[in-house]
Amino acid sequence: MRWPYHFDCLGGDHLSRQLALTVDRESRIPLAVQVRNSLRGLVENGTLWPGVRIPSSRQLALDLGVSRSVVVEAYEQLSAEGYVETRRGSGTTISARAQSDGGAVSMLVPPDPELAPDAMWDLRTGTSNVVDFPRQEWIRCVSAVVTDAGRQELSYSAPAGVPLTRRVLVGYLGRVRGVRSRPEDLMVTAGFAQGLALICKVLVDRGHTTLGVEDPGHPGEREFITSSGLRPVGIPVDEDGLRVDLLEESDVRAVLITPANQFPTGVRLSQARRERLIAWAREVDGYVLEDDFDSAFVQRGDQLPALQSLAPDRVVYAGSASKTLAPALRLGWLAAPSELMASIEHVRAGWDIGCSGLEQLAFARFIDTGALDRHQRKLRAEFHRRRQVVHEQTEAWLPGAHLISGDGGLQAFVQLPPHLDEAALVRAARSRSVLVRGGRFYTFTDTSRPPALVISYATVNCAGLAKSLTAIGSAYRQLGA
Ligand SMILES: Cc1ncc(COP(=O)(O)O)c(C=O)c1O
């Protein structure tokens, strides 16, 4: 929602609105002037934002215990000065003009060019297909849950999550990913991000100073890990996934990995490496954190079950609804070995009292009624079509470049000829209204990789992909590729 916003449909009841304002009856300053000055101050210091509705003069007079004419006079003065606007039927509102006049207000809303890029197509990773969010099904689930909620559902639940949701999730993850867990070893988190933060804290508490990460990998996660007090150590990735041989040579005792669909290359960790990775974890008495955030979109007929199914005592399985539904839900989950879960729960107890119980119940219902399976099937088919377009257009417009890895996920990793200037291609694409990232953006320390483009098709449909890849193709030719 962009600023300034209005919930016009809710505008009717301005009469009962409250405002944190007081007057000093002992003061020699007239009451109307006090009201005016206080309100003006609240607008100027950014407490009251443009678009905020304030009480009617009658209501504020009642609340302050002053005569209505005092507030009417103050409002008239503020209106003349451009601080408030009064419209028949919708009451009195802080004026949009107050933003620029006030100065301090606009400083609270720094311009965010990333939010409103002037480019036509955004092929950068980090987005989800929220356009197809199943609104009606979600509303049905929320509505049923709120209708049925009794005292217990409306009260606090266990910080680790609503028991019903944990049961449903354990059943669901066992069914679709072969995860072996019990409700008491599964925690509902505020997205994968909170799960990662919890694990990092527990590792720090247990004396870890480092965490292995895939290279290339998610730069945001590396920053996140650093701020949690651990040093990320890059472990290179090849066509079989994480180089477990190099992990063995490092001094880390825990590693974060996307085995089903490596982010961002899309390669799958081979069976041999999976087994070697588990053997490593046992050998160093360490842990593997399995980030399974987008496996729902992996098409391969030969898809392997979650790594966790090989060693529930060594692997922490983490998932998220951010890619399958919407990041705004902030819903994720962790299935951890029992002894680790005890520590995770201990840390969490000091952080918050869990996620929204009603939302967890709606999610459980969404899973239980089959809506999640239906929605994912639909998205999987759509992403498959989009990926095909990226594949065909890459062949047509980027000769010498090729898609690496299998058939799934939300982005394609396009390897470019070794002599090509990746940064120049990204810039040239930008000048043709296409936002895209090069492989370097994801690289940590392994600079041996050839140039690449990472093309996310999460938000751009087939027609848009065809146009944007044609534009990238023209930039590619211009660079003499
Ligand atoms: C590699 C990776 N893991 C997990 C996630 C999901 O994170 P969250 O559940 O915190 O939104 C993302 C989202 O972009 C991601 O890129």
Side-chain angles (χ1 to χ4, degrees):
M1 189 181 301
R2 304 293 296 157
W3 182 262
Y5 60 83
H6 290 278
F7 292 106
D8 283 336
C9 55
L10 305 178
D13 187 19
H14 57 276
L15 297 176
S16 57
R17 280 169 203 275
Q18 291 194 25
L19 183 67
L21 203 83
T22 48
V23 285
D24 179 0
R25 281 165 208 294
E26 309 299 318
S27 165
R28 291 221 302 270
I29 302 172
L31 290 171
V33 176
Q34 287 189 44
V35 172
R36 188 194 69 188
N37 287 353
S38 300
L39 254 170
R40 196 163 53 189
L42 290 173
V43 174
E44 282 177 348
N45 72 13
T47 307
L48 288 178
W49 289 57
V52 167
R53 290 172 208 262
I54 56 176
S56 65
S57 52
R58 187 190 308 275
Q59 184 63 51
L60 186 58
L62 270 173
D63 290 348
L64 294 175
V66 300
S67 88
R68 189 175 169 207
S69 61
V70 166
V71 182
V72 168
E73 190 187 327
Y75 277 14
E76 278 174 3
Q77 184 70 34
L78 288 164
S79 174
E81 292 168 357
Y83 284 91
V84 302
E85 287 166 3
T86 304
R87 271 197 230 120
R88 269 182 83 80
S90 59
T92 304
T93 310
I94 303 301
S95 156
R97 280 174 295 154
Q99 189 173 16
S100 49
D101 295 343
V105 177
S106 58
M107 276 168 58
L108 295 174
V109 198
D112 186 350
E114 293 285 305
L115 273 180
D118 52 359
M120 195 109 69
W121 296 290
D122 191 348
L123 307 183
R124 295 172 302 176
T125 56
T127 50
S128 306
N129 182 359
V130 289
V131 172
D132 290 325
F133 181 74
R135 290 168 200 264
Q136 292 313 320
E137 299 239 40
W138 185 255
I139 288 169
R140 266 197 288 281
C141 291
V142 172
S143 166
V145 161
V146 174
T147 305
D148 294 348
R151 276 168 190 262
Q152 198 183 337
E153 287 76 18
L154 290 169
S155 189
Y156 296 105
S157 68
V162 173
L164 174 71
T165 306
R166 291 156 81 189
R167 270 206 310 282
V168 168
L169 262 170
V170 162
Y172 169 76
L173 296 171
R175 173 166 66 80
V176 300
R177 298 294 293 133
V179 171
R180 289 156 58 199
S181 187
R182 306 175 307 164
E184 55 270 40
D185 294 329
L186 184 131
M187 174 182 278
V188 180
T189 56
F192 170 76
Q194 190 184 34
L196 178 60
L198 285 162
I199 299 290
C200 287
K201 175 74 173 81
V202 169
L203 291 176
V204 168
D205 290 349
R206 292 183 175 204
H208 289 244
T209 54
T210 54
L211 177 65
V213 293
E214 294 164 314
D215 190 359
H218 198 302
E221 281 179 3
R222 294 196 291 263
E223 276 177 34
F224 201 80
I225 292 163
T226 307
S227 65
S228 309
L230 292 170
R231 181 169 57 84
V233 175
I235 310 290
V237 167
D238 67 14
E239 62 278 8
D240 282 330
L242 186 86
R243 291 274 308 271
V244 182
D245 57 327
L246 299 179
L247 179 68
E248 289 164 350
E249 285 172 17
S250 76
D251 62 357
V252 307
R253 289 196 302 114
V255 65
L256 168 63
I257 175 169
T258 46
N261 190 42
Q262 202 273 327
F263 183 86
T265 63
V267 298
R268 186 186 71 172
L269 189 69
S270 70
Q271 184 62 34
R273 294 231 181 130
R274 286 159 62 106
E275 284 162 18
R276 194 165 169 177
L277 180 62
I278 299 302
W280 165 84
R282 295 199 194 292
E283 176 69 30
V284 299
D285 188 21
Y287 291 105
V288 177
L289 175 55
E290 175 176 20
D291 178 2
D292 203 37
F293 77 110
D294 71 347
S295 66
F297 306 127
V298 173
Q299 304 277 347
R300 300 180 182 102
D302 60 348
Q303 191 188 19
L304 294 168
L307 183 68
Q308 189 265 6
S309 65
L310 293 182
D313 59 325
R314 286 289 156 195
V315 181
V316 181
Y317 176 88
S320 165
S322 288
K323 297 297 178 193
T324 48
L325 285 172
L329 293 174
R330 302 315 300 137
L331 266 175
W333 44 91
L334 281 181
S338 303
E339 56 85 26
L340 199 61
M341 186 48 90
S343 304
I344 296 170
E345 284 190 7
H346 180 74
V347 170
R348 178 110 192 237
W351 284 9
D352 61 27
I353 315 179
C355 305
S356 152
L358 292 176
E359 198 146 274
Q360 290 182 58
L361 285 168
F363 187 50
R365 200 179 170 98
F366 196 78
I367 295 173
D368 213 34
T369 54
L372 184 61
D373 287 73
R374 277 196 297 282
H375 180 60
Q376 286 181 168
R377 203 175 281 280
K378 192 175 137 199
L379 286 188
R380 199 156 47 235
E382 172 61 16
F383 289 146
H384 181 62
R385 285 191 287 275
R386 293 183 186 180
R387 195 174 174 90
Q388 285 294 112
V389 172
V390 174
H391 188 71
E392 288 157 15
Q393 299 292 318
T394 301
E395 282 199 342
W397 301 110
L398 281 74
H402 66 280
L403 239 75
I404 71 161
S405 75
D407 181 15
L410 295 157
Q411 75 278 333
F413 195 89
V414 177
Q415 197 115 325
L416 302 168
H419 62 272
L420 196 104
D421 183 343
E422 179 190 292
L425 181 60
V426 168
R427 276 197 306 276
R430 178 78 173 83
S431 71
R432 286 166 173 77
S433 222
V434 183
L435 296 175
V436 68
R437 288 194 174 115
R440 272 299 166 97
F441 179 79
Y442 304 88
T443 302
F444 190 18
T445 49
D446 178 16
T447 48
S448 65
R449 300 186 71 89
L453 281 185
V454 179
I455 298 178
S456 164
Y457 41 84
T459 58
V460 180
N461 65 17
C462 290
L465 284 167
K467 288 190 185 132
S468 47
L469 275 143
T470 308
I472 294 177
S474 109
Y476 190 76
R477 274 194 308 283
Q478 184 203 340
L479 292 173

